[in-house]
Amino acid sequence: MPPDSRTTASVRPMRADARRNYDRILTAAAEAIAEQGAEASLEEVARRAGVGSATLHRHFPSRQRLLEAVFRDKVEDLCAVAADLAADPDPGRALATWLGAVARHAVSNRGLAASLMRGAHDGDPAWGATCHTMITDAGADLLARACRANAARPEVSITDLLTLVNAICLAVEHDPDGTTHADRLLTLALTGIRPEGPQVVNR
Amino acid sequence: MPPDSRTTASVRPMRADARRNYDRILTAAAEAIAEQGAEASLEEVARRAGVGSATLHRHFPSRQRLLEAVFRDKVEDLCAVAADLAADPDPGRALATWLGAVARHAVSNRGLAASLMRGAHDGDPAWGATCHTMITDAGADLLARACRANAARPEVSITDLLTLVNAICLAVEHDPDGTTHADRLLTLALTGIRPEGPQVVNR
DNA sequence: TACGATATGGAGGGCCACCCCGTTTACGCA
DNA sequence: TGCGTAAACGGGGTGGCCCTCCATATCGTA
């Protein structure tokens, strides 16, 4: 959300040069993050964008803000997918499909998982619709339906599921063929959410 | 493994001062990591130990090496637990118990999960028994038994399981009541490993 | 065109990992 | 016990990072 697209009328539109730099930084950040993950050097992002580091910090006061801007449209995609799946006649399958989509996005966009996860805790306040809350809201509906259809245990929360998915993707990020591993692990993990599943004998 | 305990006769024992500093660094590192996690500043570790930073780097050429040294005995504990559980009449329960123990260790020792996970990929070569391989070996046996007793799906690998456990613990590390979350997530995830479990409808 | 509001980025501070190399220390032997 | 040497030490340097300040440049408008 570039600042000039806010609905509040009191906010002036960005100046053209500011807008240009904002976009350049975003592009550069996307590249750098794709190559080096969520921990990419902000200084290098600025360098790639041909911009002073102060400019980067003015537009994005924290790494988290930058990540959220970079991944905003991916997250919106996922929310849209969730909305579509809400109409699926099989809510259990819909939920599983969606979680699979989340995982695929997270694996193929380095840093996304980290971004979604971080948002959970140290998300800075006074920042409305973070990626984290967006995606949580989107998934909550799918889970509720699955639950009503007796396709998910009632004690499972959407936070649990997303944490699990993100944890797996994060764990797999430094892995040559992460996609494969993420897939097996997710399949494995998701088997546990169905109510008729066997009781686990843990501890 | 402090260098002087190697079996090779050609290696001289450490000098007393070196030994002393090695131990001091290890203690300081354990404290710092307990407080700040696996990313604790090495410089501060050296400061706490009352040692120059060069000394720290001489003894532990990489952060990973330091982590491994710090957690070595914890990992040995886990291996011992695994050895005990190998005699359990119920191999499925034994495996679950052990994975629970791994999780508990990882949650209560900040940095352990990170250490075990990192060891998997960028572990530097020419470094024999890393924590990662130690624990993998220990668990492989339990899993094999569980599998033979039809208490685990044959296509599940010990790497899968440990990755899952570590991923969960890592995800939960920045969480106020991590133990609780780790527990639910692990229970959830482990339900999927039993062969008679319901088929997952993923993707 | 000229002016005020806005945006910029170089320079600098604080912190960090890692290394170089002159100095100190412990050990083994006479 | 005293001494020579190999081993260990650590101060200080390098370069990178994140972040902030403020003198300067640029934009949009009257």
Side-chain angles (χ1 to χ4, degrees):
Chain A
M1 181 174 55
D4 69 346
S5 63
R6 285 190 219 154
T7 51
T8 328
S10 72
V11 179
R12 294 186 167 231
M14 277 173 113
R15 240 170 63 171
D17 53 347
R19 171 88 231 176
R20 188 178 351 108
N21 282 333
Y22 182 95
D23 290 340
R24 278 190 191 163
I25 292 171
L26 222 46
T27 310
E31 285 176 19
I33 290 172
E35 289 169 20
Q36 313 169 22
E39 305 302 318
S41 151
L42 297 184
E43 204 116 331
E44 192 189 316
V45 169
R47 230 176 288 128
R48 281 184 197 233
V51 144
S53 65
T55 299
L56 185 152
H57 282 95
R58 192 173 323 103
H59 284 296
F60 305 97
S62 73
R63 178 183 296 273
Q64 181 60 17
R65 291 277 188 98
L66 180 57
L67 289 176
E68 300 229 341
V70 167
F71 291 123
R72 181 157 216 94
D73 49 350
K74 308 278 177 192
V75 171
E76 278 165 0
D77 284 0
L78 286 172
C79 292
V81 171
D84 286 354
L85 285 168
D88 194 293
D90 180 343
R93 190 187 53 189
L95 177 61
T97 304
W98 186 68
L99 290 173
V102 174
R104 236 171 306 124
H105 271 69
V107 168
S108 59
N109 295 98
R110 292 190 62 169
L112 216 199
S115 170
L116 292 176
M117 198 104 85
R118 286 211 178 287
H121 306 300
D122 52 40
D124 72 271
W127 179 245
T130 62
C131 291
H132 183 258
T133 63
M134 284 172 64
I135 211 153
T136 301
D137 292 348
D141 188 41
L142 286 178
L143 175 58
R145 283 166 194 269
C147 195
R148 276 200 296 278
N150 201 37
R153 310 187 173 202
E155 75 273 19
V156 173
S157 76
I158 186 62
T159 304
D160 288 345
L161 292 181
L162 286 172
T163 304
L164 215 43
V165 172
N166 281 317
I168 289 171
C169 294
L170 219 48
V172 141
E173 197 154 87
H174 297 292
D175 192 305
D177 54 358
T179 313
T180 316
H181 277 166
D183 238 36
R184 340 182 17 157
L185 292 177
L186 187 61
T187 304
L188 207 58
L190 290 188
T191 309
I193 76 170
R194 311 207 140 226
E196 70 273 23
Q199 286 312 306
V200 75
V201 201
N202 180 30
R203 172 150 341 151
Chain B
M1 178 174 59
D4 69 346
S5 62
R6 287 189 218 154
T7 50
T8 327
S10 70
V11 178
R12 291 182 170 227
M14 276 173 115
R15 245 170 60 169
D17 53 348
R19 170 90 231 174
R20 186 174 355 105
N21 283 335
Y22 183 96
D23 290 340
R24 278 188 189 165
I25 292 171
L26 223 45
T27 309
E31 284 176 19
I33 289 171
E35 288 169 19
Q36 313 169 22
E39 306 303 319
S41 151
L42 297 184
E43 204 115 330
E44 191 189 316
V45 170
R47 232 175 287 129
R48 281 185 196 232
V51 144
S53 66
T55 299
L56 186 152
H57 282 93
R58 192 173 323 103
H59 283 297
F60 305 97
S62 72
R63 179 181 296 273
Q64 181 60 18
R65 292 277 188 97
L66 179 57
L67 289 176
E68 300 230 341
V70 167
F71 290 124
R72 181 159 218 92
D73 48 352
K74 308 279 177 189
V75 171
E76 278 166 0
D77 283 359
L78 286 172
C79 292
V81 171
D84 286 353
L85 285 167
D88 193 294
D90 180 345
R93 190 186 53 188
L95 178 61
T97 305
W98 186 67
L99 290 173
V102 174
R104 236 170 306 127
H105 270 69
V107 169
S108 59
N109 295 99
R110 295 189 62 170
L112 215 200
S115 169
L116 291 177
M117 198 102 88
R118 288 214 176 286
H121 306 300
D122 50 41
D124 74 271
W127 179 246
T130 62
C131 291
H132 183 257
T133 64
M134 282 172 65
I135 212 154
T136 301
D137 292 348
D141 188 41
L142 285 179
L143 175 59
R145 283 166 195 269
C147 195
R148 275 199 296 280
N150 201 38
R153 308 186 174 202
E155 75 272 21
V156 174
S157 75
I158 186 63
T159 304
D160 289 344
L161 292 180
L162 286 172
T163 304
L164 217 41
V165 172
N166 281 316
I168 289 172
C169 294
L170 217 48
V172 140
E173 195 154 90
H174 297 293
D175 192 307
D177 53 358
T179 314
T180 317
H181 277 164
D183 238 36
R184 342 178 19 154
L185 292 177
L186 187 59
T187 305
L188 208 58
L190 291 188
T191 310
I193 76 172
R194 313 206 138 224
E196 72 273 20
Q199 285 313 303
V200 74
V201 199
N202 180 29
R203 176 153 334 159

